[in-house]
Amino acid sequence: MDDNNNNLAKRPLKIAVLSRNQKLYSTQRLVEAGKARGHEVHVIDTLRCYMNIATDKPTIHYKGKNLDDFDAVVPRIGASITHYGLAVLRQFEMMGVLAVNESMAINRSRDKLRSLQLLSRRGIGLPVTGFAHSPDDIPDLLKMVGGAPLVIKLLEGTQGLGVVLAETRKAAESIIEAFISIKANIMVQEFVKEADGADIRCFVIDGEVIAAMRRQAPEGDFRSNLHRGGTAHTVNLTPEERSTAIRAVRIMGLNVAGIDILRSASGPVVLEVNSSPGLKGIENCTNKDVASAIIDFIEKKATSNRTRIAEE
Ligand code: ADP
């Protein structure tokens, strides 16, 4: 079996990077890393794929051409196009193409509440988190999560937008009321003060943390997102942080993921598992070739899609 895998790994593969923008750093790096290994790599604009699903031979068409014989697809599907993007990815899966992350796993990870529920059920450390629907239940919800200060998050937010710190109960109530009045979905979370404006991004591929960085919020902010002016630093993970990251990704069913962890007084707590983690911040900070590590994974797992269709 090993021999067989080695032969497959050496064969040039045809790889699709599903991305809306070929100029993005992550997209470019994946293309570069794939080509450097002798593979054929195409950037496919997710929203330009159209599909015939009512057929016994599923196909994807792209700008007038049939997308066939791809061995693997790297989904880089932005949150705003999750629904259509996952339909395209599912079509690749139906055609027997290896998906670096499968549509089911991405879908699971895009639902923040569901993700936290899954992680909590398996004993992963999380900040105390609550959610409610009715404004009438807010006062009790605030008590339930331990009172102010609290972090209030828009469920649909990314890159730190829609993450607000409420220092007092009164502030928390007003913010929540405002969000509810515009029908925004939110969750309310214990403020992990001792994290001191820093979080840790672990990049996991195939069950291993291959790079990690500590992001520090700019002065006066508690959000460490690099897009919000946070700075990145190298970090040594504790064994507990490493195993938390690996377990969280496994629970979500992802092969490639970025996990955000806070250092709390009671140990590592997971904020989020991201199925399309950016490569720029982590590669620049750690000098690790994360893109090639993703190509390594594809080489290890890709088999001829013709064989797979025949097996089905
Ligand atoms: P997004 O998905 O929009 O990046 P996050 O939930 O990751 O939102 O929050 C953004 C940043 O805010 C985190 O990287 C972290 O630095 C900080 N943060 C988020 N939640 C908490 C919390 N409960 N306690 C302390 N800091 C937090």
Side-chain angles (χ1 to χ4, degrees), residues 112 127 151 153 157-161 163 187 189-193 195 197-199 215 217 222-225 260 262 271-272:
K112 287 194 187 179
V151 177
K153 298 185 183 182
T158 59
Q159 300 180 344
L161 289 173
V163 178
M187 65 185 176
Q189 203 162 63
E190 152 201 15
F191 175 50
V192 183
K193 189 165 188 289
D199 76 352
R215 297 176 296 198
F222 73 103
R223 298 165 305 169
S224 55
N225 304 70
D260 297 339
L262 293 181
L271 282 184
E272 193 175 24

mmCIF file of all heavy atoms in Angstrom, residues 112 127 151 153 157-161 163 187 189-193 195 197-199 215 217 222-225 260 262 271-272, ligand 1:
data_model
loop_
_atom_site.group_PDB
_atom_site.id
_atom_site.type_symbol
_atom_site.label_atom_id
_atom_site.label_comp_id
_atom_site.label_asym_id
_atom_site.label_seq_id
_atom_site.Cartn_x
_atom_site.Cartn_y
_atom_site.Cartn_z
ATOM 1 N N LYS A 112 -21.071 29.275 14.322
ATOM 2 C CA LYS A 112 -20.269 29.465 15.540
ATOM 3 C C LYS A 112 -20.873 28.775 16.760
ATOM 4 O O LYS A 112 -20.166 28.165 17.555
ATOM 5 C CB LYS A 112 -20.076 30.955 15.836
ATOM 6 C CG LYS A 112 -19.096 31.614 14.881
ATOM 7 C CD LYS A 112 -18.654 32.986 15.370
ATOM 8 C CE LYS A 112 -17.808 33.651 14.283
ATOM 9 N NZ LYS A 112 -17.348 34.995 14.645
ATOM 10 N N PRO A 127 -14.464 29.735 26.583
ATOM 11 C CA PRO A 127 -14.926 30.783 27.500
ATOM 12 C C PRO A 127 -16.402 30.512 27.800
ATOM 13 O O PRO A 127 -17.112 29.992 26.933
ATOM 14 C CB PRO A 127 -14.786 32.075 26.677
ATOM 15 C CG PRO A 127 -14.061 31.713 25.431
ATOM 16 C CD PRO A 127 -14.173 30.239 25.238
ATOM 17 N N VAL A 151 -17.982 40.024 26.673
ATOM 18 C CA VAL A 151 -17.755 40.257 25.246
ATOM 19 C C VAL A 151 -19.028 39.848 24.516
ATOM 20 O O VAL A 151 -19.570 38.769 24.761
ATOM 21 C CB VAL A 151 -16.546 39.429 24.740
ATOM 22 C CG1 VAL A 151 -16.361 39.630 23.250
ATOM 23 C CG2 VAL A 151 -15.279 39.832 25.491
ATOM 24 N N LYS A 153 -20.729 39.224 20.788
ATOM 25 C CA LYS A 153 -20.259 38.960 19.423
ATOM 26 C C LYS A 153 -21.413 38.737 18.461
ATOM 27 O O LYS A 153 -22.340 37.985 18.768
ATOM 28 C CB LYS A 153 -19.420 37.680 19.390
ATOM 29 C CG LYS A 153 -18.184 37.755 20.220
ATOM 30 C CD LYS A 153 -17.342 36.500 20.045
ATOM 31 C CE LYS A 153 -16.139 36.580 20.949
ATOM 32 N NZ LYS A 153 -15.255 35.428 20.805
ATOM 33 N N GLY A 157 -20.100 37.867 12.363
ATOM 34 C CA GLY A 157 -18.921 38.734 12.229
ATOM 35 C C GLY A 157 -17.651 37.964 11.895
ATOM 36 O O GLY A 157 -17.540 36.795 12.208
ATOM 37 N N THR A 158 -16.713 38.629 11.201
ATOM 38 C CA THR A 158 -15.373 38.045 11.028
ATOM 39 C C THR A 158 -14.352 39.151 11.193
ATOM 40 O O THR A 158 -14.692 40.335 11.125
ATOM 41 C CB THR A 158 -15.153 37.420 9.632
ATOM 42 O OG1 THR A 158 -15.355 38.438 8.666
ATOM 43 C CG2 THR A 158 -16.054 36.247 9.359
ATOM 44 N N GLN A 159 -13.124 38.742 11.387
ATOM 45 C CA GLN A 159 -11.976 39.651 11.506
ATOM 46 C C GLN A 159 -12.185 40.706 12.587
ATOM 47 O O GLN A 159 -11.780 41.855 12.446
ATOM 48 C CB GLN A 159 -11.677 40.303 10.151
ATOM 49 C CG GLN A 159 -11.359 39.243 9.109
ATOM 50 C CD GLN A 159 -11.056 39.806 7.747
ATOM 51 O OE1 GLN A 159 -11.345 40.961 7.470
ATOM 52 N NE2 GLN A 159 -10.441 38.995 6.900
ATOM 53 N N GLY A 160 -12.851 40.279 13.660
ATOM 54 C CA GLY A 160 -12.976 41.157 14.814
ATOM 55 C C GLY A 160 -14.081 42.197 14.713
ATOM 56 O O GLY A 160 -14.371 42.893 15.679
ATOM 57 N N LEU A 161 -14.717 42.293 13.529
ATOM 58 C CA LEU A 161 -15.831 43.234 13.399
ATOM 59 C C LEU A 161 -17.020 42.635 14.131
ATOM 60 O O LEU A 161 -17.289 41.448 14.025
ATOM 61 C CB LEU A 161 -16.190 43.453 11.923
ATOM 62 C CG LEU A 161 -15.177 44.254 11.111
ATOM 63 C CD1 LEU A 161 -15.550 44.253 9.638
ATOM 64 C CD2 LEU A 161 -15.083 45.688 11.634
ATOM 65 N N VAL A 163 -17.305 42.447 17.398
ATOM 66 C CA VAL A 163 -16.898 41.895 18.698
ATOM 67 C C VAL A 163 -16.718 43.092 19.634
ATOM 68 O O VAL A 163 -15.866 43.946 19.403
ATOM 69 C CB VAL A 163 -15.571 41.100 18.579
ATOM 70 C CG1 VAL A 163 -15.143 40.573 19.942
ATOM 71 C CG2 VAL A 163 -15.727 39.957 17.591
ATOM 72 N N MET A 187 -23.836 36.218 20.431
ATOM 73 C CA MET A 187 -23.594 35.434 21.635
ATOM 74 C C MET A 187 -22.876 36.316 22.648
ATOM 75 O O MET A 187 -22.281 37.334 22.294
ATOM 76 C CB MET A 187 -22.814 34.167 21.324
ATOM 77 C CG MET A 187 -21.436 34.352 20.820
ATOM 78 S SD MET A 187 -20.787 32.712 20.385
ATOM 79 C CE MET A 187 -19.223 33.187 19.709
ATOM 80 N N GLN A 189 -20.228 36.415 25.926
ATOM 81 C CA GLN A 189 -19.122 35.573 26.388
ATOM 82 C C GLN A 189 -18.385 36.224 27.562
ATOM 83 O O GLN A 189 -18.214 37.444 27.588
ATOM 84 C CB GLN A 189 -18.156 35.405 25.215
ATOM 85 C CG GLN A 189 -17.288 34.192 25.282
ATOM 86 C CD GLN A 189 -16.700 33.878 23.905
ATOM 87 O OE1 GLN A 189 -15.958 34.683 23.368
ATOM 88 N NE2 GLN A 189 -17.029 32.722 23.368
ATOM 89 N N GLU A 190 -17.966 35.395 28.462
ATOM 90 C CA GLU A 190 -17.087 35.836 29.551
ATOM 91 C C GLU A 190 -15.877 36.541 28.930
ATOM 92 O O GLU A 190 -15.326 36.074 27.934
ATOM 93 C CB GLU A 190 -16.656 34.559 30.294
ATOM 94 C CG GLU A 190 -15.346 34.603 30.979
ATOM 95 C CD GLU A 190 -14.764 33.193 31.229
ATOM 96 O OE1 GLU A 190 -15.216 32.191 30.637
ATOM 97 O OE2 GLU A 190 -13.820 33.127 32.020
ATOM 98 N N PHE A 191 -15.471 37.666 29.510
ATOM 99 C CA PHE A 191 -14.281 38.375 29.024
ATOM 100 C C PHE A 191 -13.053 37.753 29.694
ATOM 101 O O PHE A 191 -12.933 37.787 30.922
ATOM 102 C CB PHE A 191 -14.392 39.865 29.368
ATOM 103 C CG PHE A 191 -13.165 40.662 29.011
ATOM 104 C CD1 PHE A 191 -12.594 40.571 27.746
ATOM 105 C CD2 PHE A 191 -12.583 41.516 29.943
ATOM 106 C CE1 PHE A 191 -11.465 41.312 27.412
ATOM 107 C CE2 PHE A 191 -11.460 42.270 29.615
ATOM 108 C CZ PHE A 191 -10.895 42.166 28.352
ATOM 109 N N VAL A 192 -12.184 37.167 28.891
ATOM 110 C CA VAL A 192 -10.977 36.527 29.443
ATOM 111 C C VAL A 192 -9.905 37.618 29.560
ATOM 112 O O VAL A 192 -9.085 37.820 28.673
ATOM 113 C CB VAL A 192 -10.501 35.353 28.560
ATOM 114 C CG1 VAL A 192 -9.293 34.671 29.181
ATOM 115 C CG2 VAL A 192 -11.644 34.356 28.358
ATOM 116 N N LYS A 193 -9.957 38.325 30.690
ATOM 117 C CA LYS A 193 -9.127 39.519 30.886
ATOM 118 C C LYS A 193 -7.651 39.145 30.919
ATOM 119 O O LYS A 193 -6.796 39.856 30.376
ATOM 120 C CB LYS A 193 -9.546 40.159 32.214
ATOM 121 C CG LYS A 193 -8.966 41.513 32.484
ATOM 122 C CD LYS A 193 -9.750 42.191 33.625
ATOM 123 C CE LYS A 193 -9.331 43.637 33.807
ATOM 124 N NZ LYS A 193 -8.011 43.797 34.372
ATOM 125 N N ALA A 195 -6.023 37.135 29.345
ATOM 126 C CA ALA A 195 -5.367 36.924 28.043
ATOM 127 C C ALA A 195 -4.630 38.199 27.629
ATOM 128 O O ALA A 195 -3.751 38.174 26.768
ATOM 129 C CB ALA A 195 -6.400 36.545 26.983
ATOM 130 N N GLY A 197 -5.263 40.899 25.895
ATOM 131 C CA GLY A 197 -5.278 41.361 24.501
ATOM 132 C C GLY A 197 -4.511 40.475 23.530
ATOM 133 O O GLY A 197 -4.238 40.895 22.414
ATOM 134 N N ALA A 198 -4.191 39.251 23.944
ATOM 135 C CA ALA A 198 -3.440 38.371 23.028
ATOM 136 C C ALA A 198 -4.231 37.102 22.772
ATOM 137 O O ALA A 198 -4.967 36.632 23.639
ATOM 138 C CB ALA A 198 -2.087 38.010 23.634
ATOM 139 N N ASP A 199 -4.114 36.569 21.582
ATOM 140 C CA ASP A 199 -4.613 35.215 21.355
ATOM 141 C C ASP A 199 -3.544 34.437 20.600
ATOM 142 O O ASP A 199 -2.527 35.005 20.179
ATOM 143 C CB ASP A 199 -5.975 35.196 20.644
ATOM 144 C CG ASP A 199 -5.897 35.501 19.161
ATOM 145 O OD1 ASP A 199 -4.817 35.883 18.668
ATOM 146 O OD2 ASP A 199 -6.924 35.360 18.476
ATOM 147 N N ARG A 215 -0.845 36.689 18.689
ATOM 148 C CA ARG A 215 -1.216 37.997 18.148
ATOM 149 C C ARG A 215 -1.570 38.910 19.313
ATOM 150 O O ARG A 215 -2.304 38.503 20.215
ATOM 151 C CB ARG A 215 -2.412 37.850 17.193
ATOM 152 C CG ARG A 215 -2.067 36.996 15.980
ATOM 153 C CD ARG A 215 -3.267 36.767 15.107
ATOM 154 N NE ARG A 215 -4.311 36.011 15.791
ATOM 155 C CZ ARG A 215 -5.311 35.389 15.148
ATOM 156 N NH1 ARG A 215 -5.410 35.451 13.842
ATOM 157 N NH2 ARG A 215 -6.213 34.720 15.835
ATOM 158 N N ALA A 217 -3.111 42.556 20.603
ATOM 159 C CA ALA A 217 -3.962 43.684 20.203
ATOM 160 C C ALA A 217 -3.187 44.992 20.318
ATOM 161 O O ALA A 217 -2.287 45.113 21.144
ATOM 162 C CB ALA A 217 -5.188 43.739 21.113
ATOM 163 N N PHE A 222 -8.855 45.141 22.828
ATOM 164 C CA PHE A 222 -8.669 43.780 23.351
ATOM 165 C C PHE A 222 -8.696 42.768 22.224
ATOM 166 O O PHE A 222 -8.458 41.592 22.427
ATOM 167 C CB PHE A 222 -9.764 43.454 24.384
ATOM 168 C CG PHE A 222 -11.111 43.229 23.760
ATOM 169 C CD1 PHE A 222 -11.613 41.944 23.594
ATOM 170 C CD2 PHE A 222 -11.874 44.305 23.323
ATOM 171 C CE1 PHE A 222 -12.852 41.736 22.991
ATOM 172 C CE2 PHE A 222 -13.115 44.100 22.719
ATOM 173 C CZ PHE A 222 -13.601 42.824 22.561
ATOM 174 N N ARG A 223 -8.977 43.224 20.991
ATOM 175 C CA ARG A 223 -9.068 42.313 19.848
ATOM 176 C C ARG A 223 -7.724 42.259 19.134
ATOM 177 O O ARG A 223 -7.195 43.274 18.723
ATOM 178 C CB ARG A 223 -10.150 42.791 18.872
ATOM 179 C CG ARG A 223 -11.538 42.817 19.474
ATOM 180 C CD ARG A 223 -12.479 43.608 18.614
ATOM 181 N NE ARG A 223 -11.974 44.955 18.379
ATOM 182 C CZ ARG A 223 -12.490 45.797 17.485
ATOM 183 N NH1 ARG A 223 -13.508 45.438 16.747
ATOM 184 N NH2 ARG A 223 -11.983 46.997 17.340
ATOM 185 N N SER A 224 -7.228 41.038 18.974
ATOM 186 C CA SER A 224 -5.855 40.905 18.470
ATOM 187 C C SER A 224 -5.801 40.619 16.972
ATOM 188 O O SER A 224 -4.725 40.349 16.447
ATOM 189 C CB SER A 224 -5.168 39.774 19.237
ATOM 190 O OG SER A 224 -5.936 38.606 19.117
ATOM 191 N N ASN A 225 -6.932 40.694 16.283
ATOM 192 C CA ASN A 225 -6.941 40.400 14.834
ATOM 193 C C ASN A 225 -5.896 41.258 14.116
ATOM 194 O O ASN A 225 -5.817 42.462 14.345
ATOM 195 C CB ASN A 225 -8.303 40.733 14.223
ATOM 196 C CG ASN A 225 -9.433 40.019 14.921
ATOM 197 O OD1 ASN A 225 -9.744 40.337 16.057
ATOM 198 N ND2 ASN A 225 -10.041 39.063 14.257
ATOM 199 N N ASP A 260 -8.057 29.520 17.044
ATOM 200 C CA ASP A 260 -7.717 30.657 17.899
ATOM 201 C C ASP A 260 -7.957 30.277 19.346
ATOM 202 O O ASP A 260 -9.051 29.837 19.710
ATOM 203 C CB ASP A 260 -8.554 31.878 17.517
ATOM 204 C CG ASP A 260 -8.266 32.325 16.097
ATOM 205 O OD1 ASP A 260 -7.177 31.970 15.588
ATOM 206 O OD2 ASP A 260 -9.103 33.015 15.498
ATOM 207 N N LEU A 262 -7.274 31.373 23.571
ATOM 208 C CA LEU A 262 -6.888 32.370 24.575
ATOM 209 C C LEU A 262 -6.229 31.641 25.736
ATOM 210 O O LEU A 262 -6.644 30.529 26.098
ATOM 211 C CB LEU A 262 -8.112 33.117 25.110
ATOM 212 C CG LEU A 262 -8.894 34.039 24.169
ATOM 213 C CD1 LEU A 262 -10.051 34.688 24.932
ATOM 214 C CD2 LEU A 262 -7.985 35.110 23.573
ATOM 215 N N LEU A 271 -11.497 29.910 20.929
ATOM 216 C CA LEU A 271 -12.459 30.930 20.487
ATOM 217 C C LEU A 271 -13.140 30.498 19.212
ATOM 218 O O LEU A 271 -14.314 30.700 19.009
ATOM 219 C CB LEU A 271 -11.727 32.243 20.181
ATOM 220 C CG LEU A 271 -11.309 33.126 21.331
ATOM 221 C CD1 LEU A 271 -10.697 34.404 20.779
ATOM 222 C CD2 LEU A 271 -12.510 33.452 22.202
ATOM 223 N N GLU A 272 -12.346 29.900 18.318
ATOM 224 C CA GLU A 272 -12.875 29.658 16.981
ATOM 225 C C GLU A 272 -12.006 28.665 16.224
ATOM 226 O O GLU A 272 -10.801 28.611 16.424
ATOM 227 C CB GLU A 272 -12.863 30.991 16.220
ATOM 228 C CG GLU A 272 -13.658 30.936 14.969
ATOM 229 C CD GLU A 272 -13.756 32.296 14.276
ATOM 230 O OE1 GLU A 272 -12.881 33.151 14.483
ATOM 231 O OE2 GLU A 272 -14.710 32.462 13.529
HETATM 232 P P1 ADP B 1 -13.546 37.092 14.792
HETATM 233 O O1 ADP B 1 -14.007 35.734 14.400
HETATM 234 O O2 ADP B 1 -14.371 38.205 14.224
HETATM 235 O O3 ADP B 1 -12.064 37.291 14.667
HETATM 236 P P2 ADP B 1 -13.177 36.496 17.592
HETATM 237 O O4 ADP B 1 -14.198 35.801 18.390
HETATM 238 O O5 ADP B 1 -11.996 35.688 17.151
HETATM 239 O O6 ADP B 1 -13.882 37.211 16.352
HETATM 240 O O7 ADP B 1 -12.664 37.768 18.411
HETATM 241 C C1 ADP B 1 -11.714 38.696 17.906
HETATM 242 C C2 ADP B 1 -10.608 38.936 18.942
HETATM 243 O O8 ADP B 1 -11.154 39.480 20.148
HETATM 244 C C3 ADP B 1 -9.919 37.653 19.361
HETATM 245 O O9 ADP B 1 -8.858 37.352 18.488
HETATM 246 C C4 ADP B 1 -9.438 37.991 20.770
HETATM 247 O O10 ADP B 1 -8.208 38.680 20.732
HETATM 248 C C5 ADP B 1 -10.514 38.910 21.294
HETATM 249 N N1 ADP B 1 -11.535 38.167 22.063
HETATM 250 C C6 ADP B 1 -12.590 37.517 21.546
HETATM 251 N N2 ADP B 1 -13.332 36.928 22.498
HETATM 252 C C7 ADP B 1 -12.750 37.223 23.662
HETATM 253 C C8 ADP B 1 -13.043 36.909 25.051
HETATM 254 N N3 ADP B 1 -14.121 36.186 25.362
HETATM 255 N N4 ADP B 1 -12.197 37.372 25.999
HETATM 256 C C9 ADP B 1 -11.111 38.115 25.668
HETATM 257 N N5 ADP B 1 -10.784 38.455 24.410
HETATM 258 C C10 ADP B 1 -11.582 38.021 23.404
#
